Amino acid sequence: MTSQPLHSPQTHDDGTRPHGEYKVPGGKLVVVDLDVMDGRFTNVSLSGDFFLEPDESLQDINRALTGLPESSTATEIATAVTAGLPEGAVLFGFSAEAVAITVRRALSKATGWADHQWEVIPPSVLPTQVNVALDEVLTEEVGSGRRNPTLRFWDWEEPSVVIGSFQSVRNEVDPEGVSRHGITVVRRISGGGAMFMEAGNCITYSLYLPQTLVDGISFADSYAFLDAWVMAALEKLGITAFYVPLNDIATDQGKIGGAAQKRLANGGMLHHVTMSYDIDADKMLEVLRIGKEKLSDKGTRSAKKRVDPLRRQTGLARAAILQAMQEVFTERYGAVESRLTDAELSEARNRVEAKFGTAEWLNRVP
């Protein structure tokens, strides 16, 4: 499968000037038109439906951008914008970082959702170790351009615990509970916390994307940015969800999920989310070691209270929630349904044998 990215240089309506647009999540639209001469920005024009005081600050931003090298990073662009603003200037609905993202998009060094052909892989039952291995394989495939950016929903049968890349096995998992309940323990490539997964008890998906999509967006802000479609899907189901920094997804009734990420050297990125649907909290507490320190900043005394299943909040079958999520993603980003290739599955199984199914990988942090 060959990726067909659509992020060729954006131009103005007359086809002559680099043109970038960026809609700030929860904010306003930022637009930049500019020229590049001798490797530097010129004729810069910032516009949008944002608010900015004083009025003269608009020209201050244009002047700050003028003359910057075309090779400027997002951080360098944002720093120049901030330095060029008068003391007390107020940016409402956008930020210096949003300007930087827009400039990078105009130069095709950053991309938007619409710049890619997205694919969706519906749930298919696979061993948990294969699911984890696929995260590495597909992230590499997208980074190398061999696969289009893809959303994949997991499914599995065996009860499992998937621990974060940097977690300690002995600190996170109770061996007696694991043995008693026949739990498979696997380590994934992304960071974050442990996931207790029985068949049908949670909703898990992985988003494989090029890092250009989050160019200029801070690590913390990238979580909410990449899950805006999920919030829309939940809203469609009557649930108002929000991010609790860094990576918790919650409603006013409690936490419903968590996210984790991994960025690869080849430009691929994994964004991975698990949301609780109908978790057996008593069994989870027998399998995972969830201490008071982990709960200390969550405003609750028990892990059982932290698991607030989607089943209770929606009254819907898990399949109906999955369908709503897939529909919203497809409609929002023009995604097409896809499948795992035989080569991808074969490579994932090879990596289970060589890495994800080995004691060395599982116990790399004992």
Side-chain angles (χ1 to χ4, degrees):
M1 184 177 298
T2 302
S3 177
Q4 296 294 330
L6 305 178
H7 50 90
S8 55
Q10 297 186 51
T11 59
H12 199 267
D13 290 342
D14 61 12
T16 60
R17 305 185 67 198
H19 172 83
E21 298 184 4
Y22 174 59
K23 173 65 169 62
V24 178
K28 300 298 184 178
L29 179 69
V30 184
V31 181
V32 169
D33 295 284
L34 52 78
D35 292 316
V36 178
M37 294 182 61
D38 299 324
R40 293 183 178 274
F41 302 151
T42 185
N43 298 326
V44 179
S45 177
L46 177 73
S47 61
D49 60 356
F50 48 76
F51 298 91
L52 178 61
E53 294 290 346
D55 282 355
E56 295 76 16
S57 296
L58 184 65
Q59 294 308 316
D60 291 329
I61 294 176
N62 289 338
R63 280 191 289 269
L65 294 172
T66 299
L68 288 180
E70 183 183 11
S71 60
S72 297
T73 66
T75 299
E76 290 168 342
I77 295 170
T79 299
V81 170
T82 300
L85 287 168
E87 185 176 352
V90 177
L91 287 68
F92 185 78
F94 77 121
S95 63
E97 290 73 23
V99 174
I101 294 168
T102 311
V103 171
R104 298 274 293 180
R105 285 191 175 182
L107 302 171
S108 298
K109 295 180 179 178
T111 57
W113 292 91
D115 294 322
H116 303 279
Q117 175 60 68
W118 291 89
E119 299 182 3
V120 179
I121 300 176
S124 60
V125 175
L126 293 166
T128 303
Q129 290 178 340
V130 173
N131 274 313
V132 170
L134 278 168
D135 273 357
E136 183 173 76
V137 171
L138 297 183
T139 305
E140 289 178 1
E141 291 292 286
V142 170
S144 67
R146 291 188 294 268
R147 166 177 274 279
N148 288 325
T150 299
L151 168 67
R152 180 177 72 91
F153 291 100
W154 291 32
D155 218 337
W156 61 95
E157 288 182 341
E158 76 274 31
S160 308
V161 166
V162 180
I163 63 173
S165 180
F166 310 108
Q167 289 189 298
S168 160
V169 178
R170 71 166 66 99
N171 289 340
E172 298 298 327
V173 180
D174 186 315
E176 292 184 6
V178 164
S179 176
R180 181 165 61 254
H181 295 294
I183 305 294
T184 298
V185 182
V186 189
R187 184 184 296 276
R188 62 180 186 269
I189 62 170
S190 59
M195 301 150 44
F196 172 63
M197 304 168 61
E198 291 187 290
N201 80 343
C202 54
I203 292 172
T204 298
Y205 64 83
S206 294
L207 194 62
Y208 314 104
L209 60 135
Q211 292 174 35
T212 55
L213 187 63
V214 294
D215 183 275
I217 301 175
S218 71
F219 185 84
D221 289 344
S222 69
Y223 280 87
F225 173 75
L226 293 174
D227 281 331
W229 64 275
V230 180
M231 304 306 174
L234 293 174
E235 187 73 31
K236 185 177 179 180
L237 297 174
I239 299 176
T240 300
F242 49 87
Y243 253 89
V244 179
L246 173 66
N247 62 332
D248 282 354
I249 300 173
T251 70
D252 59 2
Q253 298 184 50
K255 176 179 174 179
I256 59 174
Q261 295 181 354
K262 176 68 176 179
R263 305 183 188 210
L264 302 186
N266 76 345
M269 178 175 172
L270 164 68
H271 178 82
H272 170 106
V273 171
T274 291
M275 307 179 80
S276 57
Y277 174 71
D278 191 18
I279 288 179
D280 183 334
D282 291 326
K283 186 181 295 185
M284 180 184 73
L285 291 174
E286 294 176 15
V287 171
L288 298 180
R289 300 184 190 275
I290 302 177
K292 294 180 180 179
E293 182 64 24
K294 188 175 181 70
L295 298 170
S296 63
D297 67 342
K298 306 297 182 181
T300 183
R301 294 183 179 181
S302 76
K304 184 180 285 190
K305 290 182 180 178
R306 291 185 63 220
V307 181
D308 198 2
L310 284 172
R311 180 178 181 179
R312 183 172 65 82
Q313 293 193 39
T314 65
L316 296 173
R318 176 173 175 267
I321 299 174
L322 285 166
Q323 181 178 349
M325 288 183 173
Q326 182 170 336
E327 287 176 353
V328 168
F329 188 89
T330 298
E331 292 169 2
R332 178 172 283 212
Y333 303 128
V336 296
E337 190 165 308
S338 179
R339 66 174 184 83
L340 294 166
T341 68
D342 292 341
E344 289 165 344
L345 279 168
S346 177
E347 179 60 24
R349 292 187 175 107
N350 289 340
R351 294 195 191 191
V352 169
E353 294 298 319
K355 179 178 180 178
F356 294 99
T358 67
E360 289 79 10
W361 170 252
L362 177 61
N363 294 291
R364 76 183 192 108
V365 184

